[in-house]
Structures are given as C-alpha cells and as structure tokens.
Amino acid sequence: MSLAPSKKKPPPPPKEEKKEEKKEEAEAKPEEDHYCDMLCCKFKKPPLKKYMTYLKLPDSIDSYTDRRYVAWLMLVTVAYNWNCWFIPLRFVFPYQTPSNTIYWFAIDIICDICYLCDLLVFQPRVQFLRGGDIISDKVEMKKFYHSTIKFRLDLISVLPFDVLYFFFGFNPAFRVNRMLKHNTFFEFNDRLEAILDKAYIYRVIRTTGYLLFILHINACLYYWASDYEGLGSTRWVYDGQGNMYLRCYYWAVRTLITIGGLPEPQTLFEIVFQLLNFFLGVFVFSSLIGQMRDVIGAATAGQNYYRSCMDNTVSYMNTYSIPKLVQNRVRTWYEYTWDSQGMLDESELLEQMPTKMQLAIAIDVNFAIVNKVDLFKGCDTQMIYDMLLRLKSIVYLPGDFVCKKGEIGREMYIIKQGEVQVLGGPDGTKVLVTLRAGAVFGEISLLAAGGGNRRTANVVAHGFANLFILDKKTLNEILVHYPDSEKLLMKKAKYVLRTILKSLCLDCEWTVVASRHNSIQQKTSTQI
C-alpha cells in the first residue's frame, strides 16, 4: 500500500507541460490569425484588441493632449453646425414638407444623441485644474462639470421641446435651444488650433465661415420679410421666381457687403428693414475684414519681421556707402538664415520659455551632435545639458574665415551643419583637412590653463556652415559646478597639448584634429 502512491506520482509533470504547450499554441494562434489573404497577397493586419484598447473611453480625459477628445468635439461641432444652419432655414423657407419630414427628423435624432453622449459620457470625464493640481477623480470631475455654466447650457440645449410636435406639428422653432451649445464649438476651435502646424489656415477658413453664416441668416430674414409683405407684392421683396434660397442669398450678399444696386424699398416696413441691414452690414463686414487682417498679419509676422530687419540693414548700408560686395554677402546671410531655420535668431524664441522647456528642446535638437564630440565623452550628462543652453549658433557664408592664424583664441567651435576647411602651408592656402558635422576645433585655446593661445591655422567655411560657439568664460562658469568633468577635460587638454608640442610644425595640431575626427567618423559608421 505504501508503494502504490509513489508509483502514481510521476505522471502529473507531463500534464503541466502539456498545459504550457497548449498555452503557447493559443498565444501563437492569434499571431497567425492577424494575417489576411486578399487578391493573392498576404499581409499582416493589427489585432482587433489593439483597436478596442485605443477606442476604449478612459476614466479621465486630458482635453489638451487626447486626440480622441478632439475628434469627439469635431463630431459634436458638426451636429451643432447642422442645427445652427438648418433650423433657421427650415423655419423660414418651405423646404420641410410632410413628404420629407421623416428624413429631417432622423438627422435631428442623430444630432440629439451626440448632444446627450457629450453631456452624460464625455464632459463628466474631462480633467480640470484646482490650485495647480490635475484632478482626475470621477466624482470630483462630475461635480466640477455640474457646477459650470457650460453644463447648464448643455442641459438646456437637450431639453426635449420636440414633444410639442404632437400638439403644434413639426415646427423647427421648437429646436432653437439646440443652438445654445456654442461652448463646445469654441472649445473645439481652441483644441484644433493647438494641434495644427499651420493654425492660421484654419483661422482664415473659420472667419470665412462666420461671414457665410451671417449672410445665411440675412437671407433667411429677407425671405421672412418678403413672405410677411407678400411674395411679389412690391419690387423690393422676393418675387418667387427661380431658386428661392440662392436669390435671397444673393440679395443678402449685396446688402451686407453694401454693394448696392437693389430695388428701392416701398413701404415703411421695407425701409426700416433695409436701414437695419445697411447698419448691420457695415458693422459686421468691417469687423470680419479686421479679424481677417489680424489672422493674416499673425501668420506672416515672422516674415514681416525678417523683411523689416533686412530692409533696415540695407538702408543702413546704403547710407554709409558700404561696397556692393559686402551688401550682397549680407543679403545672402539673411536669406540663407531665414530659409534654413525660419527665423533670424533662435534664442529670441527660446527666451520666452521656461528653462526646463528650453533644455528639452535643446536636447532634442542638439544633444545628438554634441554627444558625438570626443572631447566631452565621459563628462557629466548634466554638464552637457547646461552647455547646450549656452551654445550660440552662428551661420558662416562660403569663404568666410571662422578664425585666422595668429588670432587669440577665446572660444571653441562645434560643427552643427556644413563643412569647414583648415588651411596651412607656407602660403596658407593648402587644405590640411576638411571637418564635417560633429567635429570640434579650437578646444585647446578654451582649455589651456594659461589662456591666450594663438590660432595656428586659418579655418574657412567651405559652404554654408552652421557652427556652435562656446567661449572660455561660459565654460568656466559651467565647470565650477562640475569639478570631476573639469578634471577630465583638463586631462584631455594636457594630452592634446603634449601631442602638439612634440610636433615639428604648427600644422600638426590640425593633423591631430583630423585624426580624431576620422576616428569618430569610423566609430559612428561601424555603429550604424
């Protein structure tokens, strides 16, 4: 009896192995199911679970960064625009008839569903700020939304006055409360402009939409006035011929834009209506023209600043009779700088931001270049971050001298873009080496303990070259806080100085620079 149980114990492990194998097969099957055969081609499609996970509504919504929320606002905005445009149209023009009422009613229900979902599902989940803290608690978010004016307007906009259809018939006037959901429309505009690369294009389209909507309302008012006076009763009213909406819209355009050439009003009602239209037209049209001017002016502000700076510089050079050769080089510098980076001075834009944001942008743009410099390898990463904020970017034109032989060196250079040539030899025209993006030169003058080192060769920009410049004073201010990095840099500087002193000619310093640069290029290519 004691031996029987011991014989029966070995079988369980294979069962566990089988279970594990089944799990692995079950996990492997979905991967195979993600492939789809179509037109003799086999391609992989994303699993449905990923779509469902992405589309799943989160417990809280960040209205500033969640693109799904912006997409939802767009859907609600479409429903809002449907109500704003078609409620006045259906109320005034005889386009809603018993034969097509069911279609209007169906679209109205769809718009109402969008309103209700926004009121009950989306808006109570939107995060808000309280004392600088982001509140994402469900109860708190719901309470905050219910305490806002937006909630009251949203609630009024979904009140079912449509039930009055049963007593007074299908009258679109009972849906006029749907036009109170204007806060969602303006919120969508703000969120969309925040994520667009060229928001000014949307602003122009939106301002044009405002103008078209005002003309639409005026056309509806004109048809209502014509119907009140009697269609075709006078020369001023709509005569009932042609497309009623287009004819009335044409009248609205000529009136609001004050083109003139319309029939004179005959009755007192027509005179008062026409005067109000003229007064409103002058005010509205001038306001929209001013808004359009501001939108276009804001979109071209950078271009105007560039043109203004260039014109002032050219005027200054003409006043002092600067030679044409120099003037052409100045113009070339302006044009290249603007075309390459879209602004004349990057620091002006970054100065408006907090230091943390400046650092984040500098890391994304320039860290990859500075990190490749062999001189700074092994240094404290935070020291490199501080140095990124102090680097100055300067553009050199083809043939410009970056530094000349015999000058006192007070800064070092890192090539961001382009190429520079190191010239030497008896006549100073021999190309010793060509340095490209990521190369560094002039660091000996920057790190020498005594200072005052003279340049040993001419450095000329081969084409358009964008260089980072770091002066000795700035580097010393940074290294005060990083003694370990300072020791490492000084050690490297002594090693390079020793190498140069062993050389028999002055041009050997640039040979060392070239060898270091070539080794960096080889390491980078092998890593790639």
Side-chain angles (χ1 to χ4, degrees):
M1 296 296 290
S2 60
L3 296 174
S6 62
K7 291 181 179 178
K8 292 180 180 179
K9 285 182 180 178
K15 290 182 180 179
E16 293 179 359
E17 292 178 1
K18 289 181 179 179
K19 288 181 180 179
E20 292 178 358
E21 290 178 0
K22 288 180 179 179
K23 287 181 180 179
E24 292 177 358
E25 291 177 359
E27 292 176 356
K29 281 183 180 179
E31 294 291 333
E32 297 176 358
D33 294 337
H34 296 164
Y35 288 90
C36 180
D37 293 326
M38 187 175 183
L39 298 178
C40 301
C41 297
K42 191 176 183 181
F43 60 91
K44 188 175 182 180
K45 61 178 182 178
L48 184 60
K49 287 185 179 179
K50 289 186 178 180
Y51 284 122
M52 298 304 294
T53 303
Y54 180 76
L55 295 175
K56 183 181 178 182
L57 194 63
D59 294 333
S60 64
I61 300 173
D62 185 357
S63 60
Y64 294 97
T65 59
D66 197 332
R67 298 294 181 91
R68 293 171 296 181
Y69 181 66
V70 178
W72 170 253
L73 289 179
M74 182 180 69
L75 186 62
V76 179
T77 300
V78 171
Y80 172 75
N81 276 278
W82 168 270
N83 290 319
C84 287
W85 283 78
F86 285 98
I87 288 176
L89 180 74
R90 294 156 57 188
F91 176 72
V92 174
F93 289 92
Y95 284 128
Q96 181 173 312
T97 61
S99 60
N100 61 18
T101 300
I102 185 64
Y103 302 109
W104 295 104
F105 188 66
I107 300 178
D108 289 343
I109 290 177
I110 294 174
C111 294
D112 292 347
I113 291 174
C114 291
Y115 277 34
L116 285 171
C117 289
D118 187 62
L119 175 69
L120 301 175
V121 179
F122 283 87
Q123 294 304 325
R125 296 171 183 259
V126 176
Q127 300 173 1
F128 68 96
L129 295 177
R130 180 191 291 165
D133 295 331
I134 300 175
I135 307 300
S136 58
D137 181 70
K138 289 183 179 181
V139 178
E140 293 294 329
M141 289 187 297
K142 187 178 292 186
K143 284 183 179 179
F144 176 78
Y145 173 59
H146 290 171
S147 65
T148 60
I149 298 177
K150 181 180 180 182
F151 168 74
R152 298 169 191 170
L153 293 175
D154 290 350
L155 184 62
I156 296 173
S157 66
V158 296
L159 291 178
F161 293 112
D162 309 63
V163 296
L164 297 176
Y165 287 168
F166 296 106
F167 304 99
F168 303 99
F170 287 95
N171 191 341
F174 297 136
R175 293 182 54 82
V176 72
N177 61 315
R178 303 297 191 272
M179 300 173 67
L180 293 176
K181 201 173 177 62
H182 54 82
N183 287 324
T184 301
F185 172 73
F186 292 114
E187 184 183 4
F188 168 70
N189 290 329
D190 295 338
R191 298 292 175 263
L192 185 62
E193 288 180 12
I195 63 176
L196 290 177
D197 294 331
K198 296 182 178 180
Y200 66 89
I201 296 177
Y202 176 72
R203 295 190 191 108
V204 171
I205 296 173
R206 185 184 62 196
T207 305
T208 305
Y210 290 158
L211 176 61
L212 296 177
F213 179 71
I214 293 172
L215 293 173
H216 168 76
I217 296 298
N218 197 36
C220 294
L221 291 174
Y222 175 64
Y223 185 86
W224 170 82
S226 299
D227 187 53
Y228 177 80
E229 285 286 291
L231 298 179
S233 59
T234 64
R235 294 182 64 252
W236 181 84
V237 300
Y238 169 59
D239 57 6
Q241 302 296 323
N243 187 298
M244 63 182 77
Y245 180 75
L246 289 180
R247 292 286 299 276
C248 293
Y249 202 92
Y250 173 75
W251 183 92
V253 171
R254 294 181 68 92
T255 303
L256 276 185
I257 303 181
T258 62
I259 296 175
L262 295 170
E264 293 294 329
Q266 305 296 322
T267 65
L268 179 62
F269 175 81
E270 294 174 358
I271 293 172
V272 173
F273 188 90
Q274 188 71 35
L275 285 175
L276 292 176
N277 254 278
F278 280 140
F279 290 144
L280 184 64
V282 171
F283 174 75
V284 171
F285 190 67
S286 59
S287 300
L288 290 175
I289 291 297
Q291 187 175 357
M292 191 73 76
R293 181 202 61 191
D294 294 339
V295 170
I296 297 175
T300 59
Q303 185 78 16
N304 294 335
Y305 175 73
Y306 155 69
R307 289 295 177 190
S308 176
C309 291
M310 188 171 181
D311 293 342
N312 293 335
T313 305
V314 171
S315 177
Y316 174 84
M317 292 188 296
N318 290 332
T319 302
Y320 290 93
S321 302
I322 304 298
K324 291 294 181 182
L325 180 63
V326 178
Q327 291 192 26
N328 291 335
R329 291 184 66 81
V330 171
R331 288 193 181 94
T332 303
W333 179 86
Y334 268 106
E335 292 174 358
Y336 175 78
T337 303
W338 177 259
D339 292 338
S340 61
Q341 58 190 32
M343 60 188 70
L344 297 179
D345 189 1
E346 295 178 352
S347 61
E348 291 183 1
L349 178 65
L350 298 177
E351 283 176 0
Q352 302 174 4
M353 301 180 182
T355 306
K356 291 293 183 182
M357 291 187 180
Q358 292 182 27
L359 178 61
I361 294 176
I363 291 173
D364 290 337
V365 176
N366 302 323
F367 181 74
I369 298 172
V370 177
N371 198 39
K372 292 179 182 178
V373 177
D374 190 51
L375 178 66
F376 300 116
K377 288 183 177 179
C379 294
D380 193 321
T381 305
Q382 190 60 44
M383 188 274 288
I384 298 178
Y385 288 168
D386 291 347
M387 190 177 66
L388 288 174
L389 294 173
R390 304 290 192 91
L391 292 175
K392 295 180 180 178
S393 177
I394 296 182
V395 175
Y396 289 90
L397 302 183
D400 280 353
F401 281 90
V402 179
C403 57
K404 292 186 177 181
K405 184 177 181 179
E407 287 182 344
I408 301 297
R410 299 184 180 88
E411 57 274 315
M412 65 173 288
Y413 303 89
I414 303 172
I415 302 177
K416 178 183 178 182
Q417 188 179 13
E419 298 178 354
V420 298
Q421 292 180 337
V422 181
L423 305 181
D427 54 355
T429 58
K430 179 183 177 182
V431 178
L432 301 178
V433 66
T434 299
L435 304 177
R436 297 177 177 83
V440 58
F441 59 93
E443 70 276 19
I444 302 305
S445 301
L446 196 68
L447 298 173
N453 289 42
R454 294 185 178 274
R455 306 293 188 189
T456 58
N458 295 327
V459 181
V460 181
H462 180 55
F464 289 98
N466 195 339
L467 307 182
F468 286 131
I469 295 181
L470 182 66
D471 58 62
K472 187 178 183 67
K473 180 182 177 182
T474 301
L475 182 61
N476 290 337
E477 291 175 355
I478 295 173
L479 292 178
V480 168
H481 306 286
Y482 304 97
D484 294 337
S485 298
E486 182 179 12
K487 292 178 182 178
L488 179 63
L489 289 176
M490 291 305 171
K491 184 177 179 182
K492 290 184 178 181
K494 289 178 182 178
Y495 172 76
V496 176
L497 280 171
R498 236 183 269 118
T499 306
I500 295 175
L501 291 175
K502 290 179 182 179
S503 306
L504 298 176
C505 62
L506 293 174
D507 296 337
C508 287
E509 176 189 355
W510 299 102
T511 307
V512 174
V513 173
S515 64
R516 291 208 318 270
H517 177 60
N518 291 333
S519 64
I520 293 172
Q521 294 289 339
Q522 289 176 1
K523 291 178 182 177
T524 305
S525 62
T526 53
Q527 291 175 358
I528 296 174

